[in-house]
Amino acid sequence: MSSKWYGGPMAGPIPSRSVEGMRLVYDPELDVALLVVDEGAAAGARHAAVAGVPAGSYVDAEYDEGGRLVAFEVLGARKVLPPEVLARAERE
């Protein structure tokens, strides 16, 4: 991703936008969040670890058979997601 798009690592917060069809589900007991981009394709998705995640957390990207991103699973979600985002998430 070019710095023209996101302004580089110290550019500050990215504006929040709601995207139709995306869901965020959070299990506070397990501290696991699931951001579903494409609900229909999430079943049977392939998984790949996301690099650069802070210690104590793990992010797994899920792709459909065509290589399109369908979901992110975040273990240790409280360490990497803002509290206000987790507060608005569906509970599992």
Side-chain angles (χ1 to χ4, degrees), residues 38-84:
D38 183 349
E39 193 84 44
R46 294 178 297 128
H47 302 266
V50 175
V53 179
S57 296
Y58 177 82
V59 176
D60 184 59
E62 301 179 10
Y63 300 90
D64 69 9
E65 55 280 342
R68 290 177 298 272
L69 181 68
V70 296
F72 286 106
E73 183 177 37
V74 182
L75 294 102
R78 283 189 290 264
K79 292 184 182 199
V80 294
L81 295 174
E84 59 274 9

Side-chain angles (χ1 to χ4, degrees), residues 7-57:
M10 302 302 285
I14 296 172
S16 175
R17 294 189 184 111
S18 177
V19 178
E20 189 79 25
M22 289 178 50
R23 280 181 57 214
L24 179 63
V25 181
Y26 178 58
D27 183 332
E29 187 175 318
L30 297 176
D31 193 25
V32 174
L34 180 65
L35 175 62
V36 181
V37 177
D38 183 349
E39 193 84 44
R46 294 178 297 128
H47 302 266
V50 175
V53 179
S57 296

